[in-house]
């Protein structure tokens, strides 16, 4: 064995530990969110978006359609608060995983874990992570967009700009401010 190979083995083991801790943190936070979902009724704003989902369209009064489309998908079998909020719950898991990947890629696995821990305990992030709102799908799309942009720095495959453009388009369908992801990409 070479010295490089011997150093790489503990690094991978350490990375697996941080992945494990991050997975445990995301799972624990998801369980707490599920408790909040089952213990509370949907709020007025959530009911507003849920009513939209009953009539799928390309846009609504003052918002793009992704939050309504997401709710339409999750309420096919039930109209309870868990079904209405299932989309944001899934989005929060994807967001946490994306934040970990971005932190790991830019800094280290430990930094990825700490980033997830920080966004998990911030009250506004926590509250918006289980409530039906346009920010629920926007957050993981932003992180995915940043991951794609970061990947373009190292790799030059032709699909990467197309994927980044598609993610930016979806972010715009989540909330109009999602178009700013295109500006970040151009910068």
């Amino acid at each position: 064995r070479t010295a490089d190979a011997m150093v790489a083995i503990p690094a991978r083991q350490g990375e697996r530990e941080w992945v494990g801790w991050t997975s445990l943190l995301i799972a624990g936070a998801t369980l707490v969110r599920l408790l909040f979902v089952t213990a509370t009724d949907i709020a007025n704003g959530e009911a507003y978006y849920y009513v939209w989902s009953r009539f799928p369209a390309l846009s609504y009064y003052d918002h793009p359609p992704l939050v309504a489309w997401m709710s339409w998908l999750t309420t096919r079998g039930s109209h309870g608060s868990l079904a209405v909020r299932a989309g944001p719950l899934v989005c929060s898991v994807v967001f946490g995983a994306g934040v970990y990947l971005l932190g790991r890629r830019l800094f280290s696995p430990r930094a990825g874990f700490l980033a997830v821990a920080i966004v998990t305990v911030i009250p506004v992030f926590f509250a918006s992570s289980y409530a039906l709102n346009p920010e629920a799908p926007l957050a993981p799309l932003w992180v995915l967009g940043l991951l794609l942009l970061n990947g373009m720095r190292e790799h030059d495959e032709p699909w990467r700009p197309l994927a980044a453009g598609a993610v930016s388009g979806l972010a715009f369908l989540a909330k109009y401010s999602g178009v700013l992801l295109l500006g970040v990409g151009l910068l």
Side-chain angles (χ1 to χ4, degrees):
R1 290 185 166 187
T2 65
D4 290 337
M6 293 175 72
V7 171
I9 291 170
R12 276 189 253 132
Q13 288 172 343
E15 184 173 334
R16 273 187 250 142
E17 288 177 22
W18 288 114
V19 167
W21 283 113
T22 304
S23 300
L24 188 62
L25 174 63
I26 291 171
T30 302
L31 286 174
V32 172
R33 290 177 184 119
L34 278 170
L35 288 172
F36 274 83
V37 166
T38 57
T40 59
D41 291 328
I42 61 172
N44 292 341
E46 292 174 293
Y48 182 59
Y49 300 130
Y50 168 68
V51 168
W52 290 356
S53 74
R54 296 180 59 213
F55 309 98
L58 295 176
S59 67
Y60 298 92
Y61 307 109
D62 57 349
H63 288 302
L66 194 56
V67 70
W69 295 350
M70 184 174 63
S71 182
W72 180 85
L73 282 173
T74 62
T75 57
R76 294 298 82 214
S78 171
H79 300 284
S81 64
L82 181 58
V84 170
R85 293 173 170 169
L89 287 171
V90 170
C91 287
S92 66
V93 170
V94 174
F95 175 68
V99 166
Y100 173 77
L101 290 173
L102 187 62
R104 184 193 73 190
R105 187 177 290 176
L106 294 176
F107 302 104
S108 69
R110 179 176 176 261
F113 170 79
L114 291 173
V116 173
I118 290 168
V119 297
T120 300
V121 299
I122 295 174
V124 71
F125 272 91
F126 181 79
S128 66
S129 67
Y130 68 86
L132 183 63
N133 62 75
E135 287 78 13
L138 180 64
L141 289 169
W142 258 95
V143 173
L144 179 57
L146 293 174
L147 283 165
L148 287 166
L149 290 173
N150 182 264
M152 281 191 268
R153 292 181 330 127
E154 300 164 1
H155 306 286
D156 195 24
E157 294 95 357
W159 64 268
R160 289 183 184 275
L162 295 173
V167 167
S168 297
L170 282 172
F172 181 72
L173 290 175
K175 194 166 181 174
Y176 292 131
S177 60
V179 76
L180 296 174
L181 190 55
L182 290 173
V184 169
L186 291 174
L187 287 175

